[in-house]
Amino acid sequence: MNKKAQLKLEYNKIIDLLEEQASSPSGKQRCKKLNPMVQIEDIQLAQEQTASAFTRIVKKGRISFSGCYPIEDSLMRLEVGGVLTCNELLHIAKLLQVTNKVKSFGRHDTVDDSEDCLDPYFNQLEPLSILSNEISRCILGEYEISDDASSTLKHIRKSIQLLNERVHSTLNSLVNGSLKSYLQDSLITMRGDRYCIPIKAEYRSQVPGMIHDQSSTGSTLFIEPMAIVKLNNDLKELYGKEQEEIQVILARLSNETGEYVQELRTNFSILTELDFIFAKGMLALSMNASKPLFNTRGYIHIREGRHPLLDKKKVVPITLTLGDTFDLLIITGPNTGGKTVSLKTVGLFTLMGQAGLHIPALDRSELAVFHEVYADIGDEQSIEQSLSTFSSHMTNIVSFLQDVDEHSLVLFDELGAGTDPTEGAALATAILSHLHQRGIRTMATTHYSELKVFALSTEGVENACCEFDVETLRPTYRLLIGIPGKSNAFAISKKLGLPDYIIDEAKLQLSEHDESFEDLLSDLEESRKTIEKERAEIASYKLEIQQLKSRVEKKQVRLDEQKERILREANEKANVILREAKEVADETMKNFRKFGKENISVSEMERERERLRKKISKTQEKTSLQPRKPKKQHKPSDFKLGESVKVLSMNLTGTVSSLPDAKGNLFVQMGILRSQVNISDLEIIEEPMTITAKQMRRTSNGKMKMQKSLSVSPEIKLLGKTVDEAIAELDKYLDDAYLAHLSPVRIVHGKGTGALRQAVHNYLKRLKYVKSYRLGAFGEGDAGVTIVEFK
């Protein structure tokens, strides 16, 4: 694609942003060379690679390719048998370390991770860990070889160290001994790789040795004493051997590296490509971009696209279509309203998408594949070439007008501007009509009313405008397809303070046709706003109705299921309860007969009684009902003495025995029970229920005397009784007290040995209707009394 259009659409700035995301020199160079492609297969592959990199970054974070140094020159030297330097070998080792890290990053952590198009790249990487570790072991730095690189080097350096110690020892003995008075300074220095000492010039003859240097004043001579000449010679020889051994080590490492030249070249190439691909993924992440769809039909559909070079927190997204029912879009509106930004957004998205970059728009946005993008945007007047604004635009248009075809996208900014408006509008209409007849996808911005009329009257041409708020004199930057825009010159001038008489005079200059056209545009704009508002309200109502309908349907389904479940469970429980009640009744009657005929001990009777009581308690738990609300809310004045009522929480009927108090509490007599109940828990019933005390006192052989429970004492005394007798009497008493709603009650068992108290406590632990029990406090009987509270 032509570079001029890329420059006008600021594609180079996108490349600069992409280059910043790459982490290796070779990756940055790869980013610089990125150009839009024209084959849809290549574009889709590049987009898929970007999407895969984006997904991996989101899952695992960013991967750095820093350390991927260019090694091609070193590989070429290896191919001809050359020896590499320490620095070159270190670069290769670093490359292999990056290779190992990147290969690990490319592995899928779980079996659920599906393969993507980047897996072949990761699979081709060869870390060559043995070679990398060997280079790192032998070479510590750019100019430093490890002592352990070879046994010979280690031996040489050990000898150098010992010889250095001998030289220093000898020189120290001379400096601190016989030559001390001849020294300029008491120190040891080096001149030309030889150890020397500074001697005063007047004592030259007193110190035998070789002169290597003198001070600038000539007062100091640097002499190598004869005593260390041989040692220095030996030391220099060892240094030479050290360098020879280092060359042997480098040659060995170079030879080992030369066996993997092809693998190293492949690693470098793949790492460069992966760095480039992940740079595209990072750019997409930073722009909050998505993968566009592509077609070869020339159809463009951008969903809420944001210009990538503008602040994403401030830029207003645009939604735009082109190439479906129309192939020419004419955008009108006031200056600084966003027309040029919309134009550049479409062109830049096309270049980015065809380069394999994601675009900052909603997903499912669609772009067309164009072979060329031509743009005439901006002012290119040139004094040197004697070109005015109009001439520069026309020169640019002429340069590409003969090359455009149906595979081109053409963008015009202010087409026909810079000359006589009548001629400019006519010329602009002719150019756009020519492109439209050839089916070339075109977008143009303008202020000319003639072009608005051309769009309204020509099939396949559509108007669009950038919305402008006249009240605030600010553009909203919203792009509206299908509506021609107004320049709003009169309204803006009036807001800025231009006198009304000047504006009225200007309006007189407009022809009746022009004025009516502007009025038509105003009416269209008002109608559009009204329709948009009503459409938004209708959509809101529809959504609300749909949500309400969905909630009602779900609630009805839930209620039907709950009703069916409750009925089924109730029937099952009722059958179980009736069966168990029958079994308990039968067994109770059988035991009564047995106890009446046989001489059964009290303890055995107590055990049998406890077993039956547990059965009854279990049945009561199963039949417990949740309190219901009364059908009608009653007032305190509705209740009369002796009136029949139903206690909903207990599911029992009774009669009112006292009038409600200020809190709405009254006493209800339910058979042998007299309980205080709030009127909110009562329901008045029509059928009276009369149970007299006389009827309750009727008894016969084999039946319990129920009237005893009407006068239960809050205390029972078990003093002087055996454990079995006391437990039997206590059981009966606790049942009566619980039914009479007495709580708490006192059990007097005395202190004694504590056996009876322990037996009482053990028994209380097993009773489910006992809430708590404790020993009496001071004044309540201390340890001789137990206080019991019922649930």
Side-chain angles (χ1 to χ4, degrees):
M1 292 198 179
N2 67 88
K3 298 296 182 182
K4 193 172 184 180
Q6 294 183 19
L7 192 62
K8 287 179 177 293
L9 296 172
E10 300 178 291
Y11 175 75
N12 58 307
K13 294 183 179 179
I14 298 297
I15 295 301
D16 292 340
L17 295 177
L18 178 64
E19 187 181 348
E20 291 176 4
Q21 301 298 334
S23 52
S24 68
S26 56
K28 292 180 182 294
Q29 288 296 321
R30 177 69 176 84
C31 292
K32 283 184 179 180
K33 297 177 181 178
L34 178 62
N35 281 309
M37 297 166 280
V38 296
Q39 296 299 323
I40 190 170
E41 295 81 8
D42 298 336
I43 296 170
Q44 290 174 340
L45 175 60
Q47 287 287 349
E48 188 64 31
Q49 290 174 346
T50 305
S52 298
F54 179 90
T55 302
R56 288 176 181 261
I57 291 170
V58 171
K59 286 184 177 181
K60 297 185 176 183
R62 182 172 182 175
I63 178 69
S64 174
F65 293 83
S66 177
C68 181
Y69 299 105
I71 59 170
E72 183 57 33
D73 291 344
S74 301
L75 297 182
M76 292 176 64
R77 289 179 59 192
L78 288 175
E79 287 177 330
V80 296
V83 177
L84 303 183
T85 63
C86 293
N87 195 36
E88 289 177 308
L89 288 169
L90 282 177
H91 282 179
I92 290 176
K94 184 64 177 177
L95 176 73
L96 293 176
Q97 291 169 8
V98 174
T99 302
N100 187 44
K101 179 178 67 174
V102 172
K103 191 174 182 69
S104 299
F105 177 84
R107 296 191 184 98
H108 295 292
D109 295 333
T110 62
V111 294
D112 296 333
D113 289 345
S114 57
E115 293 188 359
D116 55 36
C117 61
L118 298 183
D119 282 319
Y121 288 99
F122 290 108
N123 294 336
Q124 289 182 66
L125 291 174
E126 293 292 342
L128 303 177
S129 300
I130 296 177
L131 177 61
S132 173
N133 294 336
E134 179 64 14
I135 294 175
S136 300
R137 184 185 70 84
C138 295
I139 303 176
L140 303 179
E142 187 174 352
Y143 303 105
E144 184 180 3
I145 302 293
S146 171
D147 293 348
D148 296 326
S150 72
S151 57
T152 303
L153 182 62
K154 189 172 185 178
H155 175 72
I156 292 172
R157 288 183 173 174
K158 185 66 175 176
S159 300
I160 291 173
Q161 181 182 358
L162 294 175
L163 200 54
N164 272 322
E165 290 175 357
R166 288 180 58 191
V167 169
H168 279 82
S169 176
T170 303
L171 288 174
N172 283 331
S173 63
L174 292 174
V175 168
N176 297 321
S178 58
L179 302 181
K180 185 175 182 180
S181 58
Y182 307 143
L183 297 176
Q184 190 75 19
D185 294 298
S186 297
L187 56 84
I188 301 171
T189 183
M190 293 193 74
R191 288 292 184 273
D193 298 331
R194 312 286 290 192
Y195 286 102
C196 302
I197 54 177
I199 301 296
K200 296 177 182 178
E202 57 268 27
Y203 297 115
R204 162 68 188 89
S205 59
Q206 304 298 322
V207 180
M210 300 175 62
I211 300 174
H212 289 279
D213 198 3
Q214 67 178 8
S215 64
S216 59
T217 60
S219 60
T220 303
L221 300 177
F222 295 94
I223 298 176
E224 178 185 6
M226 293 300 298
I228 65 166
V229 170
K230 185 177 185 310
L231 293 177
N232 272 337
N233 290 338
D234 294 342
L235 196 58
K236 191 169 184 179
E237 184 180 354
L238 287 175
Y239 280 134
K241 291 182 178 180
E242 180 188 26
Q243 291 303 314
E244 291 176 1
E245 183 60 25
I246 288 175
Q247 288 302 313
V248 171
I249 294 170
L250 293 177
R252 175 176 62 82
L253 292 175
S254 299
N255 186 49
E256 293 177 3
T257 306
E259 298 176 4
Y260 303 101
V261 167
Q262 189 56 46
E263 289 84 349
L264 291 170
R265 186 174 279 120
T266 301
N267 284 346
F268 176 76
S269 175
I270 292 175
L271 289 176
T272 299
E273 190 66 19
L274 285 175
D275 190 14
F276 162 68
I277 293 172
F278 276 88
K280 294 194 296 180
M282 281 300 302
L283 184 65
L285 186 64
S286 66
M287 290 183 175
N288 193 22
S290 64
K291 174 186 174 184
L293 305 176
F294 278 90
N295 64 81
T296 55
R297 308 188 314 273
Y299 173 64
I300 296 175
H301 177 48
I302 296 173
R303 301 176 64 244
E304 296 191 19
R306 296 170 281 105
H307 194 286
L309 298 178
L310 299 179
D311 187 350
K312 60 184 178 182
K313 295 181 180 179
K314 297 180 181 179
V315 64
V316 178
I318 64 168
T319 297
L320 180 145
T321 58
L322 178 67
D324 187 11
T325 58
F326 56 90
D327 54 35
L328 172 57
L329 184 65
I330 298 175
I331 306 175
T332 53
N335 289 326
T336 70
K339 302 189 303 296
T340 305
V341 171
S342 301
L343 204 68
K344 285 187 172 182
T345 300
V346 175
L348 188 55
F349 276 15
T350 299
L351 296 177
M352 289 176 62
Q354 292 187 211
L357 301 175
H358 285 2
I359 60 174
L362 295 184
D363 57 347
R364 300 193 310 279
S365 293
E366 194 163 354
L367 298 175
V369 177
F370 294 106
H371 292 178
E372 278 291 352
V373 176
Y374 298 101
D376 180 55
I377 300 173
D379 188 1
E380 295 187 3
Q381 61 178 332
S382 172
I383 298 176
E384 292 81 1
Q385 298 179 12
S386 300
L387 292 176
S388 65
T389 300
F390 176 77
S391 299
S392 64
H393 279 290
M394 197 51 58
T395 301
N396 187 36
I397 292 171
V398 170
S399 67
F400 64 71
L401 202 56
Q402 57 188 0
D403 297 326
V404 296
D405 56 21
E406 64 275 10
H407 300 298
S408 302
L409 174 65
V410 182
L411 307 172
F412 293 110
D413 186 28
E414 301 293 350
L415 179 60
T419 188
D420 177 73
T422 304
E423 293 182 356
L427 195 58
T429 303
I431 293 173
L432 293 178
S433 179
H434 169 71
L435 295 173
H436 172 57
Q437 291 172 3
R438 295 179 60 186
I440 297 171
R441 305 299 185 261
T442 308
M443 286 180 64
T445 66
T446 184
H447 287 284
Y448 293 142
S449 297
E450 290 85 350
L451 291 181
K452 303 174 191 177
V453 176
F454 169 69
L456 288 171
S457 59
T458 307
E459 185 179 356
V461 183
E462 189 63 84
N463 269 307
C465 70
C466 289
E467 193 176 49
F468 188 86
D469 190 343
V470 181
E471 295 299 323
T472 60
L473 295 183
R474 291 173 179 265
T476 64
Y477 300 105
R478 290 180 60 206
L479 183 66
L480 307 174
I481 305 293
I483 300 173
K486 290 183 62 178
S487 296
N488 295 301
F490 293 158
I492 294 173
S493 300
K494 185 175 182 179
K495 280 287 184 180
L496 293 175
L498 191 67
D500 289 341
Y501 64 86
I502 296 180
I503 295 176
D504 293 339
E505 181 68 24
K507 288 182 177 179
L508 294 175
Q509 305 300 319
L510 288 175
S511 65
E512 183 179 348
H513 177 268
D514 292 336
E515 191 171 359
S516 62
F517 182 73
E518 290 298 318
D519 291 340
L520 174 62
L521 293 182
S522 297
D523 293 340
L524 284 174
E525 179 67 10
E526 290 299 324
S527 300
R528 179 194 64 79
K529 290 181 178 179
T530 303
I531 292 172
E532 278 193 356
K533 183 178 179 181
E534 292 177 352
R535 185 180 297 167
E537 290 177 353
I538 292 172
S540 176
Y541 292 148
K542 281 185 177 180
L543 179 62
E544 186 176 354
I545 292 170
Q546 188 65 32
Q547 290 175 345
L548 288 173
K549 181 181 178 183
S550 177
R551 284 202 296 268
V552 169
E553 290 177 349
K554 290 180 180 177
K555 185 176 181 179
Q556 187 60 45
V557 171
R558 190 165 61 250
L559 287 175
D560 291 343
E561 293 176 350
Q562 188 175 5
K563 178 181 177 182
E564 183 180 353
R565 178 178 56 80
I566 291 173
L567 289 175
R568 184 175 64 254
E569 292 178 355
N571 289 329
E572 293 174 354
K573 289 182 178 179
N575 290 331
V576 173
I577 291 167
L578 288 173
R579 187 167 58 252
E580 290 182 353
K582 183 177 182 302
E583 292 175 356
V584 172
D586 292 344
E587 191 170 358
T588 302
M589 296 301 298
K590 179 180 177 182
N591 288 336
F592 277 150
R593 296 190 188 100
K594 184 175 69 173
F595 293 153
K597 295 177 181 179
E598 301 177 8
N599 187 17
I600 306 298
S601 66
V602 175
S603 60
E604 186 176 350
M605 290 178 63
E606 176 59 28
R607 285 193 297 272
E608 187 64 21
R609 178 186 175 88
E610 175 67 15
R611 186 177 65 81
L612 292 175
R613 190 190 61 75
K614 287 182 178 179
K615 276 191 174 184
I616 293 172
S617 298
K618 187 180 298 184
T619 303
Q620 287 177 343
E621 290 176 2
K622 292 180 180 179
T623 58
S624 61
L625 299 175
Q626 296 294 327
R628 297 186 291 117
K629 292 184 179 180
K631 298 178 181 177
K632 176 184 175 183
Q633 293 294 331
H634 298 288
K635 298 180 293 185
S637 59
D638 294 340
F639 296 92
K640 305 292 188 295
L641 291 175
E643 190 166 22
S644 297
V645 294
K646 184 173 184 178
V647 182
L648 299 177
S649 61
M650 303 174 66
N651 199 29
L652 294 176
T653 57
T655 57
V656 177
S657 60
S658 69
L659 294 177
D661 57 15
K663 296 182 179 179
N665 296 325
L666 54 79
F667 282 95
V668 177
Q669 188 72 42
M670 297 167 284
I672 62 173
L673 301 180
R674 186 172 185 270
S675 179
Q676 188 181 45
V677 185
N678 191 274
I679 61 174
S680 62
D681 193 27
L682 294 178
E683 189 175 89
I684 298 175
I685 58 178
E686 298 298 330
E687 297 81 11
M689 184 181 68
T690 57
I691 302 177
T692 65
K694 183 177 180 181
Q695 288 173 323
M696 287 188 291
R697 284 194 292 270
R698 291 176 184 173
T699 181
S700 61
N701 292 334
K703 292 186 178 181
M704 299 173 64
K705 294 183 177 181
M706 303 299 293
Q707 72 271 16
K708 288 185 180 180
S709 62
L710 296 176
S711 58
V712 179
S713 171
E715 178 183 283
I716 181 173
K717 294 184 179 180
L718 304 178
L719 297 173
K721 292 182 172 56
T722 64
V723 171
D724 290 341
E725 293 171 345
I727 295 302
E729 188 172 343
L730 177 63
D731 179 76
K732 178 63 174 64
Y733 168 77
L734 292 176
D735 285 346
D736 293 340
Y738 179 67
L739 292 174
H741 286 203
L742 283 179
S743 182
V745 296
R746 299 173 74 247
I747 303 173
V748 181
H749 43 65
K751 297 180 181 179
T753 61
L756 183 56
R757 180 179 69 241
Q758 186 62 39
V760 170
H761 287 186
N762 290 338
Y763 178 72
L764 292 174
K765 288 180 182 178
R766 301 195 301 270
L767 294 181
K768 292 186 177 179
Y769 56 81
V770 171
K771 180 179 180 182
S772 63
Y773 62 91
R774 62 178 174 80
L775 291 175
F778 180 76
E780 292 180 324
D782 295 334
V785 172
T786 296
I787 308 298
V788 180
E789 287 187 24
F790 298 116
K791 294 182 179 178

